[in-house]
Amino acid sequence: MKIRIGYEIVYDCPQPTPMLLTLGVHYTRVSDVIIPDYLMTEPSIPINAYRDTFGNWCSRIVAPKGRLRLFADGLVRDSGVPDRLISQAKQTPVEYLPDETLVFLLGSRYCETDRMTEIAWQLFENAPTGWARVQAICDYVNRHIEFGYQHARRTKTAWEAYQDRTGVCRDFAHLAITFCRCMNIPARYCTGYLGDMGMPPPYGPMDFAGWFEAYLDGQWYTFDARNNIPRIGRVLIARGRDAADVPISCTFGPNTLQSFMVRTEEVAE
């Protein structure tokens, strides 16, 4: 299948404002790109690209005073196969985990393992290890949090989502990641496109999506506590410890977000 992806984000800045942007398709999907989702700006301004410490493609700009439109329109090829479900995947003991996975066991900005460890063990100590334990965590988080865009708050942490029992996809991911780390399972945050392909209507407004990956049996596997079923058409943008590592935009000055639109839809062959 082919998936059209893109966005249009409009800012108004009262003065020239530096920005970091994480909006491009992840390098692991480069072989699937048919039409690149190049970042374009109106008015035209210089763009400098770099890789962050997690290997994500990022861009640096200085937004001019006034209105700035950021937009992209790309096309990617996708297998159309749902997320993998490997129920026999085992949990790797901490002492045998690869060095590069250890950072995803630690607490981070939105994932307060120190506050959640006792709760996690009370909830999941008796769950089977490995895939079944991660799935038990997803099941719990999916039941525990009520989804709603009105509950979005950029400062909300996993602890606060647990207490409030409300949130958006990133809050589901943060709470599940935190529980996984508390149970000694490396987990990392993912952001990207996830359309409604294969799902029955009605469809909500499109947005960038948040999910997570857990390290089991020597591999990273996709989990989605918000939807909690295998989905098709995920297009990864970036990975990190939590949403603080992979913001769509990070601005260094005052600004007003005037409009925000995300597109991800199947295109007929």
Side-chain angles (χ1 to χ4, degrees), residues 100-245:
E100 63 271 16
T101 67
L102 297 179
V103 67
F104 300 108
L105 279 180
L106 308 178
S108 54
R109 165 70 178 86
Y110 291 107
C111 300
E112 312 104 314
T113 52
D114 54 342
R115 304 189 73 173
M116 301 294 294
T117 295
E118 185 176 349
I119 295 169
W121 280 91
Q122 289 173 354
L123 290 171
F124 306 112
E125 181 176 11
N126 295 322
T129 60
W131 187 283
R133 179 168 282 175
V134 180
Q135 187 57 57
I137 289 170
C138 289
D139 293 343
Y140 176 85
V141 172
N142 183 267
R143 294 191 305 266
H144 187 79
I145 297 181
E146 175 190 342
F147 180 87
Y149 288 108
Q150 71 274 21
H151 304 308
R153 190 175 75 245
R154 63 182 181 179
T155 59
K156 184 180 288 188
T157 66
W159 169 256
E160 291 169 333
Y162 174 77
Q163 295 292 326
D164 296 348
R165 302 177 69 110
T166 61
V168 291
C169 57
R170 67 179 247 161
D171 302 309
F172 285 76
H174 284 151
L175 184 55
I177 287 168
T178 305
F179 280 146
C180 284
R181 292 176 183 174
C182 291
M183 303 307 295
N184 301 329
I185 301 169
R188 62 190 185 187
Y189 184 86
C190 299
T191 184
Y193 296 94
L194 179 60
D196 294 313
M197 286 78 77
M199 301 299 295
Y203 304 129
M206 193 52 59
D207 196 356
F208 292 113
W211 61 90
F212 75 101
E213 294 174 342
Y215 189 84
L216 299 168
D217 242 355
Q219 295 185 56
W220 290 99
Y221 291 101
T222 296
F223 289 88
D224 186 341
R226 157 70 178 100
N227 295 289
N228 207 29
I229 58 172
R231 295 285 296 272
I232 64 174
R234 292 184 198 273
V235 181
L236 180 69
I237 291 177
R239 299 183 177 111
R241 292 168 298 179
D242 58 33
D245 288 331

Side-chain angles (χ1 to χ4, degrees), residues 83-90 130-132 216-217 219 221 223:
D83 302 324
R84 289 189 296 171
L85 200 165
I86 313 295
S87 58
Q88 70 272 21
K90 297 179 176 62
W131 187 283
L216 299 168
D217 242 355
Q219 295 185 56
Y221 291 101
F223 289 88

